[in-house]
């Protein structure tokens, strides 16, 4: 079946017509608390909006222990108070400069203490800094709060009470040069083939496309883009370039560089595929509905500076 995907930039809150699933998403593995009301709630103009099926957040290039990392972390906590998210994707360079696990307290546990105390889980992948001068990132894989079952892995969220098998399956990649690429690509292709969730999101540290200092990676794109196209992956999240850039869908996939988690920012240009670019300290949230995902890029003042809607039609 042919699917079309649209990416729209919205200025206001989404108005969702109906929900197919129960509005309270639960994960079997997490005994998720009921963060989201089942009832539709009134918008400021009196119209009804429905809460998302689930909400998650994302950061990258954060593990530096700087005041900028704390500024982002504090904004995440403040956002969490108003719009709770269940978990955070952490897309690499989790511990600067060389992935030393003995820095995890200062660069992870303390900055995100408020979220961790609320049982917000983080799901990490390895960035290039995470494997330098250490045992190739193994300490981070073995560090339980990073929730990495392996160098690359998948996990499903939104398992509900009414026979729902899950809303999103995430595919967390090791995009480093020394990754087991042949095995990983075969695994990704097979996992995507077997996935039964309506949404499938892939994330890794390195961008396929970027207008930042590092730029895009044609070799990485040659590896991953055909698999994304084959399986109609709607979203790939990454970091590595320290700033924010969202692209218009490329062959059906929206690519977002989300590397403003705390490490010093890079200067960004733009390309003809750039939908929005801003090099600033930031994080993202994703409101997941049955038929769309609302993406929000949020600055350290808590304000949304870019918002988009990924819609899929299957
Ligand atoms: Fe990096």
């Amino acid at each position: 079946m042919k699917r079309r995907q649209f990416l729209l930039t919205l200025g206001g809150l989404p108005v969702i017509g109906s929900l197919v699933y129960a509005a309270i998403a639960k994960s079997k593995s997490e005994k998720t608390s009921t963060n989201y009301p089942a009832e539709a709630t009134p918008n400021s103009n009196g119209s009804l909006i429905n809460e998302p099926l689930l909400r998650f957040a994302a950061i990258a290039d954060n593990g530096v222990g700087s005041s900028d990392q704390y500024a982002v972390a504090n904004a995440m906590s403040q956002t969490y108070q108003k719009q709770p998210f269940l978990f955070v994707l952490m897309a690499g360079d989790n511990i600067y400069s060389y992935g030393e696990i003995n820095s995890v307290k200062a660069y992870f546990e303390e900055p995100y203490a408020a979220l961790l105390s609320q049982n917000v889980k983080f799901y990490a992948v390895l960035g290039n800094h995470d494997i330098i001068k250490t045992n190739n990132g193994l300490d981070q894989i073995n560090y339980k709060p990073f929730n990495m079952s392996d160098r690359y892995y998948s996990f499903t969220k939104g398992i509900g009470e009414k026979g729902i098998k899950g809303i999103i399956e995430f595919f967390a990649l090791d995009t480093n040069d020394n990754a087991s690429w042949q095995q990983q690509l075969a695994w990704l292709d097979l996992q995507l083939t077997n996935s039964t969730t309506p949404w499938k999101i892939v994330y890794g540290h390195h961008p396929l496309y970027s207008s930042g200092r590092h730029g895009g990676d044609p070799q990485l794109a040659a590896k991953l883009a055909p698999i994304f196209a084959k399986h109609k992956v709607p979203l790939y999240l990454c970091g590595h370039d320290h700033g924010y850039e969202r692209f218009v869908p490329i062959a059906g996939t929206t690519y977002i560089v989300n590397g403003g988690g705390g490490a010093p920012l890079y200067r960004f240009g733009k390309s003809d595929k750039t939908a929005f670019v801003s090099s600033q300290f930031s994080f993202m949230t994703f409101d997941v509905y049955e038929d769309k995902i609302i993406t929000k890029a949020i600055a350290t003042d808590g304000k949304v500076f870019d918002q988009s809607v990924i819609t899929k039609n299957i």
Side-chain angles (χ1 to χ4, degrees):
M1 297 180 70
K2 189 174 181 180
R3 188 189 72 182
R4 291 177 300 162
Q5 181 184 341
F6 301 96
L7 188 67
L8 304 171
T9 298
L10 298 180
L13 287 168
V15 178
I16 308 301
S18 63
L19 286 178
V20 171
Y21 298 125
I24 301 172
K26 287 192 176 184
S27 166
K28 281 181 181 173
S29 60
E30 293 184 23
K31 298 179 181 175
T32 304
S33 61
T34 53
N35 285 321
Y36 308 120
E39 302 292 328
T41 51
N43 201 348
S44 57
N45 62 9
S47 62
L48 291 179
I49 60 171
N50 284 313
E51 292 294 321
L53 301 170
L54 65 83
R55 179 182 298 115
F56 65 95
I59 52 173
D61 301 278
N62 46 289
V64 72
S66 65
S67 59
D68 297 315
Q69 181 187 5
Y70 273 88
V72 174
N74 291 338
M76 292 172 74
S77 297
Q78 289 165 12
T79 297
Y80 178 86
Q81 300 306 319
K82 295 176 287 187
Q83 297 183 310
F85 41 84
L86 296 178
F87 54 94
V88 180
L89 308 183
M90 192 161 66
D93 287 356
N94 313 309
I95 303 176
Y96 282 90
S97 287
Y98 305 119
E100 309 95 323
I101 198 66
N102 58 8
S103 296
V104 77
K105 186 170 191 288
Y107 295 176
F108 175 72
E109 294 174 5
E110 291 176 350
Y112 307 112
L115 294 173
L116 292 167
S117 70
Q118 298 290 319
N119 295 320
V120 176
K121 282 192 170 185
F122 287 67
Y123 291 86
V125 295
L126 297 171
N128 52 302
H129 280 273
D130 299 312
I131 61 171
I132 301 173
K133 296 183 182 179
T134 61
N135 54 356
N136 201 24
L138 192 59
D139 286 338
Q140 293 193 40
I141 295 168
N142 291 331
Y143 176 65
K144 283 198 165 40
F146 282 1
N147 291 295
M148 303 177 70
S149 54
D150 210 331
R151 306 190 74 81
Y152 53 89
Y153 59 101
S154 66
F155 57 100
T156 299
K157 292 290 186 181
I159 299 168
E161 295 177 314
K162 298 183 178 179
I164 300 168
K165 292 182 178 178
I167 296 166
I168 301 187
E169 186 165 0
F170 293 92
F171 303 86
L173 301 185
D174 176 5
T175 55
N176 286 296
D177 288 341
N178 68 352
S180 302
W181 276 106
Q182 191 173 358
Q183 294 94 321
Q184 180 172 220
L185 293 175
W187 169 86
L188 180 61
D189 189 27
L190 182 62
Q191 290 294 118
L192 284 165
T193 299
N194 293 336
S195 178
T196 59
T197 55
W199 291 102
K200 310 171 205 313
I201 291 177
V202 183
Y203 69 107
H205 181 63
H206 296 82
L208 281 64
Y209 311 104
S210 172
S211 304
R213 178 194 293 179
H214 294 300
D217 185 338
Q219 291 184 322
L220 187 62
K223 291 184 181 97
L224 293 176
I227 297 177
F228 295 171
K230 175 182 175 183
H231 297 285
K232 299 174 180 175
V233 171
L235 176 61
Y236 176 78
L237 283 170
C238 64
H240 195 45
D241 268 329
H242 301 173
Y244 175 85
E245 184 173 15
R246 177 173 57 82
F247 290 83
V248 298
I250 300 172
T253 301
T254 294
Y255 293 85
I256 300 179
V257 179
N258 178 41
L265 296 171
Y266 296 163
R267 187 187 300 272
F268 274 63
K270 61 185 298 186
S271 77
D272 60 354
K273 299 289 189 186
T274 302
F276 189 93
V277 61
S278 176
S279 185
Q280 61 178 295
F281 295 108
S282 61
F283 69 103
M284 294 190 73
T285 63
F286 300 81
D287 291 355
V288 182
Y289 297 83
E290 190 267 337
D291 59 345
K292 66 192 73 179
I293 296 176
I294 313 288
T295 77
K296 297 175 184 175
I298 302 175
T300 53
D301 62 2
K303 293 182 178 170
V304 176
F305 63 87
D306 181 46
Q307 181 166 309
S308 71
V309 181
I310 297 174
T311 304
K312 64 182 175 66
N313 294 318
I314 298 177

